[in-house]
Protein backbone atom coordinates (compact mmCIF):
# COMPACT_ATOMS: atom_id res chain seq x y z
CA UNK A 1 0.00 0.00 0.00
CA UNK A 2 1.16 3.54 -0.71
CA UNK A 3 1.03 5.91 2.24
CA UNK A 4 1.34 9.56 1.28
CA UNK A 5 1.92 12.07 4.06
CA UNK A 6 4.11 15.00 5.02
CA UNK A 7 7.08 14.24 7.26
CA UNK A 8 9.16 17.12 8.61
CA UNK A 9 7.77 19.50 5.97
CA UNK A 10 8.48 17.13 3.06
CA UNK A 11 5.95 15.17 1.03
CA UNK A 12 6.65 11.44 1.41
CA UNK A 13 5.26 8.33 -0.19
CA UNK A 14 5.90 5.10 1.69
CA UNK A 15 5.37 1.72 0.08
CA UNK A 16 4.52 -0.47 3.06
CA UNK A 17 1.97 -2.67 4.71
CA UNK A 18 -0.89 -0.60 6.19
CA UNK A 19 -0.24 -2.32 9.53
CA UNK A 20 3.45 -1.40 9.77
CA UNK A 21 4.05 0.54 12.96
CA UNK A 22 4.79 4.21 12.32
CA UNK A 23 7.76 3.94 14.69
CA UNK A 24 9.35 1.31 12.43
CA UNK A 25 8.41 3.12 9.23
CA UNK A 26 10.03 6.39 10.33
CA UNK A 27 13.13 4.78 11.81
CA UNK A 28 13.66 2.82 8.58
CA UNK A 29 13.45 6.18 6.79
CA UNK A 30 16.41 7.43 8.88
CA UNK A 31 14.54 9.30 11.61
CA UNK A 32 16.37 7.83 14.56
CA UNK A 33 15.33 10.34 17.21
CA UNK A 34 12.41 7.97 17.80
CA UNK A 35 13.27 5.11 20.11
CA UNK A 36 11.37 2.00 21.10
CA UNK A 37 11.37 1.88 24.85
CA UNK A 38 8.29 -0.15 25.60
CA UNK A 39 6.24 -0.62 22.43
CA UNK A 40 3.10 -0.03 24.50
CA UNK A 41 2.77 3.76 24.59
CA UNK A 42 3.94 4.03 28.19
CA UNK A 43 7.42 5.58 27.94
CA UNK A 44 7.20 8.42 25.38
CA UNK A 45 10.54 7.59 23.73
CA UNK A 46 8.82 7.32 20.34
CA UNK A 47 6.93 10.62 20.54
CA UNK A 48 6.02 12.47 17.35
CA UNK A 49 3.62 15.24 16.46
CA UNK A 50 0.80 14.16 14.17
CA UNK A 51 -1.19 17.15 12.94
CA UNK A 52 0.41 19.14 15.80
CA UNK A 53 -0.75 16.68 18.46
CA UNK A 54 1.82 14.71 20.48
CA UNK A 55 1.34 10.96 20.01
CA UNK A 56 3.27 7.74 20.53
CA UNK A 57 4.40 6.37 17.17
CA UNK A 58 4.62 2.82 18.53
CA UNK A 59 0.82 2.78 18.82
CA UNK A 60 0.11 4.00 15.28
CA UNK A 61 0.00 1.98 12.10
CA UNK A 62 0.99 3.34 8.70
CA UNK A 63 -2.60 3.56 7.46
CA UNK A 64 -3.32 6.10 10.23
CA UNK A 65 -0.81 8.65 8.92
CA UNK A 66 -2.13 8.76 5.36
CA UNK A 67 -2.64 12.42 4.47
CA UNK A 68 -1.36 13.60 7.85
CA UNK A 69 1.45 15.94 8.86
CA UNK A 70 4.16 14.26 10.94
CA UNK A 71 6.92 16.06 12.81
CA UNK A 72 9.84 14.39 14.54
CA UNK A 73 12.63 15.96 16.54
CA UNK A 74 14.74 16.06 13.37
CA UNK A 75 12.20 18.44 11.84
CA UNK A 76 11.93 20.63 14.94
CA UNK A 77 15.54 21.72 15.34
CA UNK A 78 14.79 25.45 15.38
CA UNK A 79 11.75 25.10 17.66
CA UNK A 80 13.69 22.97 20.17
CA UNK A 81 17.04 24.78 20.09
CA UNK A 82 16.64 26.48 23.47
CA UNK A 83 15.19 23.33 25.04
CA UNK A 84 18.09 21.21 23.80
CA UNK A 85 20.63 23.75 25.08
CA UNK A 86 18.93 23.88 28.48
CA UNK A 87 18.80 20.08 28.72
CA UNK A 88 22.58 20.06 28.29
CA UNK A 89 23.23 23.03 30.63
CA UNK A 90 20.98 21.68 33.39
CA UNK A 91 22.19 18.09 33.10
CA UNK A 92 18.83 16.88 31.81
CA UNK A 93 20.44 14.14 29.77
CA UNK A 94 22.04 10.98 31.05
CA UNK A 95 22.19 8.03 28.67
CA UNK A 96 20.15 9.97 26.10
CA UNK A 97 17.68 7.20 25.29
CA UNK A 98 14.63 9.10 26.55
CA UNK A 99 15.86 12.59 25.72
CA UNK A 100 14.14 13.01 22.35
CA UNK A 101 10.79 11.98 23.80
CA UNK A 102 11.17 14.32 26.75
CA UNK A 103 12.14 17.23 24.51
CA UNK A 104 9.06 16.58 22.39
CA UNK A 105 6.90 16.47 25.56
CA UNK A 106 8.55 19.69 26.83
CA UNK A 107 7.88 21.44 23.53
CA UNK A 108 4.25 20.32 23.58
CA UNK A 109 3.86 21.51 27.17
CA UNK A 110 5.39 24.92 26.44
CA UNK A 111 3.50 25.45 23.17
CA UNK A 112 0.20 24.64 24.88
CA UNK A 113 0.70 27.25 27.60
CA UNK A 114 1.83 24.97 30.42
CA UNK A 115 2.35 26.52 33.84
CA UNK A 116 5.88 27.49 34.84
CA UNK A 117 6.04 25.48 38.04
CA UNK A 118 7.62 22.20 39.04
CA UNK A 119 4.44 20.38 40.00
CA UNK A 120 2.70 21.10 36.69
CA UNK A 121 5.72 20.14 34.60
CA UNK A 122 6.10 16.87 36.51
CA UNK A 123 2.43 16.08 35.90
CA UNK A 124 2.88 16.81 32.18
CA UNK A 125 5.73 14.28 32.07
CA UNK A 126 3.47 11.51 33.35
CA UNK A 127 3.64 9.76 29.95
CA UNK A 128 7.45 9.69 29.76
CA UNK A 129 9.95 7.44 31.48
CA UNK A 130 13.65 7.99 32.17
CA UNK A 131 15.60 4.84 32.96
CA UNK A 132 18.39 6.87 34.58
CA UNK A 133 16.12 8.81 36.92
CA UNK A 134 17.10 12.26 35.65
CA UNK A 135 13.63 13.73 36.07
CA UNK A 136 14.52 16.70 38.25
CA UNK A 137 17.09 18.03 35.79
CA UNK A 138 14.67 17.51 32.90
CA UNK A 139 12.00 19.48 34.79
CA UNK A 140 14.50 22.25 35.53
CA UNK A 141 15.56 22.43 31.88
CA UNK A 142 11.93 22.70 30.77
CA UNK A 143 11.12 25.45 33.29
CA UNK A 144 14.24 27.37 32.27
CA UNK A 145 13.05 27.24 28.63
CA UNK A 146 9.67 28.80 29.43
CA UNK A 147 9.15 32.52 28.88
Amino acid sequence: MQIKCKVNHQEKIFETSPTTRVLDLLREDGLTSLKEGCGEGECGACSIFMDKKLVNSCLLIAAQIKGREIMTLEGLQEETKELRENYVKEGGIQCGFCTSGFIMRSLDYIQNGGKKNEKSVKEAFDGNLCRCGGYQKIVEATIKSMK
Side-chain angles (χ1 to χ4, degrees):
M1 172 180 201
Q2 281 193 341
I3 306 292
K4 184 178 179 182
C5 62
K6 191 179 270 192
V7 178
N8 296 334
H9 306 292
Q10 296 180 4
E11 293 291 333
K12 295 288 240 177
I13 298 176
F14 296 100
E15 188 68 44
T16 189
S17 163
T19 59
T20 299
R21 290 186 316 166
V22 172
L23 169 63
D24 300 323
L25 187 69
L26 295 176
R27 283 190 58 81
E28 288 169 10
D29 198 47
L31 300 170
T32 56
S33 67
L34 295 83
K35 307 289 190 272
E36 181 169 3
C38 67
E40 298 176 355
E42 297 292 328
C43 73
C46 66
S47 296
I48 62 171
F49 285 99
M50 182 170 72
D51 297 334
K52 300 182 180 177
K53 182 178 185 233
L54 193 65
V55 295
N56 294 314
S57 63
C58 71
L59 298 178
L60 297 173
I61 57 172
Q64 291 176 288
I65 65 168
K66 189 173 185 175
R68 303 292 189 103
E69 182 179 358
I70 304 299
M71 293 298 293
T72 68
L73 187 57
E74 288 89 347
L76 295 165
Q77 292 300 295
E78 188 60 36
E79 295 88 340
T80 61
K81 185 176 190 276
E82 184 177 4
L83 270 168
R84 290 181 288 113
E85 289 172 354
N86 285 331
Y87 268 61
V88 172
K89 286 177 191 172
E90 298 298 317
I93 53 174
Q94 302 258 333
C95 76
F97 190 85
C98 68
T99 305
S100 296
F102 269 103
I103 289 173
M104 297 290 276
R105 177 74 60 183
S106 294
L107 179 63
D108 183 59
Y109 182 74
I110 291 168
Q111 287 181 337
N112 286 300
K115 295 177 182 173
K116 191 175 179 177
N117 67 62
E118 187 175 316
K119 183 178 185 242
S120 295
V121 174
K122 284 181 178 180
E123 287 173 1
F125 287 156
D126 188 42
N128 289 70
L129 298 175
C130 173
R131 296 173 180 182
C132 304
Y135 293 103
Q136 188 58 40
K137 298 296 184 181
I138 292 169
V139 169
E140 291 168 12
T142 300
I143 290 171
K144 187 173 184 178
S145 299
M146 298 178 82
K147 303 297 181 230

